[in-house]
Amino acid sequence: MGNARGGRGSAFLPSAHRPGGRWRWAVWPVLIAGAFAAGELAEPVVPAPHLLAPLLAGLVLALAGLVTREVPRGVNQACQAALGILVGSYLSPVSIQRAGADLLPLALVTAVTIMLSLGAAGVMTRLGHLDRASATLGMVAGGSAAVVATARDLDADGRVVALLQYLRVLIVAGSAPLLVQWILMPSATGRLLDADHELGPVVAAHHQGVGLVMLGAVALAGALIGRAVRLPSPVLLGPMLLTAALTAGGVAEGFAPTGSLRTILFTVIGLDIGLRFTRPALGRVVRLLPLAVTCTVTISAACALLAWLLAGVSHIPLADAYLATTPGGINAVLSTAVSTHADISLISSTQSLRLFTMILLAPLLIRLSARRSPRHAG
């Protein structure tokens, strides 16, 4: 992907104004700021706007030939490390404690969801003629931003992974509020809140300077540890595991990105994926849509059935069980839970644990799938 673009000369057209190295670096803040603004404008109408709007903006720029390079590798890796810290901060003793007696059935539901994801990946590999890495990452139910960010490191096609992941986000984010408010909890009222949009502090700590220093230190140390122990996608998984260990052990907390910094991370990831598209790649992705929609809707329906079974064998209300077991779309799910006065503690802890597990297992699942099927479909 990235290498294919490398031989196309200058990153920006027209050729009469081909800039030097400094200009090429200076223009990235402008592009990122524009993508950020696109996300702000799309926020009222689009789920995960700061992922999807920058992705579409990057796609348009790439197809128009205005930008022919991807986001600089250093910027991309910095965002991956910060995103790993964000995901690692979700796993805390409080989250595990909140699950309480329902932890075992919820863990079983998570295991079944993983199996469903693998089954759908197998279907995408056979019928969609995808390689195992792209199909597996694309169908992993959770952590879309982190999964897409690691696609290149795991030899997957980030454009296909982005399509499959954000298609799932769209379906879950669009259907969850309607199902809960109109069918499962028709008496619930309230305006849906945006759990992803908040300005102000850029890290969770009270002292922003200390929090930012901790963020940088954990990101650097985690990446170095990840490379030392040869983790797949070490820049993301290293900081993620280190953050989880520090948070769970009560050693340090409050350095996870939040507010505008978190939004910028999502913006860069979305823009990077959009800039990788070419016309042939777009045509290939569009041809995958019918099969991708079928697989995504099937997984969502199966998770809804799991929620019904979970509600039947536990004391969890059906609406809470459904929101806790949806295959991703955590921000839309949490905003729906807030607006309908659902059990936010149960839902947030379950979604966070599943998100962490999915991202951690994704590289391992790809390796296991590759061993079972050595043929690498292009």
Side-chain angles (χ1 to χ4, degrees), residues 233-314:
S233 191
V235 177
L236 183 133
L237 293 184
M240 185 182 82
L241 293 175
L242 180 57
T243 301
L246 293 174
T247 304
V251 177
E253 59 183 10
F255 54 87
T258 189
S260 55
L261 178 57
R262 181 177 60 184
T263 301
I264 290 173
L265 297 180
F266 292 159
T267 298
V268 173
I269 291 169
L271 180 64
D272 181 56
I273 293 299
L275 291 176
R276 299 182 197 177
F277 277 91
T278 60
R279 288 185 178 86
L282 181 62
R284 180 189 179 207
V285 165
V286 170
R287 288 194 294 271
L288 287 173
L289 271 177
L291 180 60
V293 170
T294 301
C295 289
T296 302
V297 171
T298 301
I299 290 180
S300 299
C303 287
L305 177 60
L306 290 175
W308 179 75
L309 294 174
L310 180 62
V313 301
S314 66

Side-chain angles (χ1 to χ4, degrees), residues 114-288:
I114 293 174
M115 295 176 63
L116 290 171
S117 300
L118 285 178
V123 172
M124 294 298 300
T125 300
R126 288 180 177 274
L127 301 183
H129 305 291
L130 292 180
D131 60 277
R132 281 283 183 177
S134 299
T136 302
L137 282 182
M139 301 311 299
V140 164
S144 56
V147 168
V148 170
T150 60
R152 182 188 304 181
D153 293 339
L154 297 174
D155 295 326
D157 188 334
R159 299 161 298 196
V160 173
V161 174
L163 167 74
L164 299 178
Q165 284 289 329
Y166 297 152
L167 179 64
R168 177 178 49 78
V169 170
L170 281 170
I171 291 175
V172 171
S175 62
L178 300 179
L179 287 173
V180 172
Q181 291 195 323
W182 292 356
I183 300 176
L184 300 180
M185 296 178 65
S187 60
T189 58
R191 181 177 63 88
L192 290 182
L193 303 177
D194 186 357
D196 189 44
H197 180 66
E198 56 175 300
L199 298 176
V202 294
V203 290
H206 293 294
H207 300 286
Q208 294 295 288
V210 175
L212 285 171
V213 171
M214 281 291 298
L215 173 66
V218 173
L220 179 60
L224 293 175
I225 294 172
R227 288 196 175 103
V229 300
R230 297 184 179 181
L231 283 176
S233 191
V235 177
L236 183 133
L237 293 184
M240 185 182 82
L241 293 175
L242 180 57
T243 301
L246 293 174
T247 304
V251 177
E253 59 183 10
F255 54 87
T258 189
S260 55
L261 178 57
R262 181 177 60 184
T263 301
I264 290 173
L265 297 180
F266 292 159
T267 298
V268 173
I269 291 169
L271 180 64
D272 181 56
I273 293 299
L275 291 176
R276 299 182 197 177
F277 277 91
T278 60
R279 288 185 178 86
L282 181 62
R284 180 189 179 207
V285 165
V286 170
R287 288 194 294 271
L288 287 173

Side-chain angles (χ1 to χ4, degrees), residues 58 80 89 183 197 267 307 326 338:
Q80 283 194 45
S89 68
I183 300 176
H197 180 66
T267 298
T326 55
V338 170

Side-chain angles (χ1 to χ4, degrees), residues 3-133:
N3 293 337
R5 289 185 180 272
R8 292 166 72 173
S10 176
F12 304 94
L13 300 180
S15 58
H17 301 283
R18 286 179 180 174
R22 290 184 179 180
W23 193 92
R24 287 200 298 268
W25 271 97
V27 80
W28 285 110
V30 177
L31 290 176
I32 293 172
F36 183 95
E40 290 289 308
L41 293 174
E43 200 164 70
V45 294
V46 178
H50 287 286
L51 283 166
L52 294 177
L55 188 152
L56 293 176
L59 185 150
V60 171
L61 290 172
L63 293 182
L66 298 176
V67 182
T68 58
R69 290 191 190 276
E70 300 163 10
V71 172
R73 183 174 178 82
V75 176
N76 185 279
Q77 290 192 335
C79 289
Q80 283 194 45
L83 190 61
I85 291 174
L86 175 62
V87 175
S89 68
Y90 290 150
L91 189 66
S92 65
V94 176
S95 298
I96 299 175
Q97 185 177 3
R98 284 173 178 172
D102 298 317
L103 186 59
L104 179 58
L106 290 172
L108 292 175
V109 168
T110 299
V112 174
T113 304
I114 293 174
M115 295 176 63
L116 290 171
S117 300
L118 285 178
V123 172
M124 294 298 300
T125 300
R126 288 180 177 274
L127 301 183
H129 305 291
L130 292 180
D131 60 277
R132 281 283 183 177

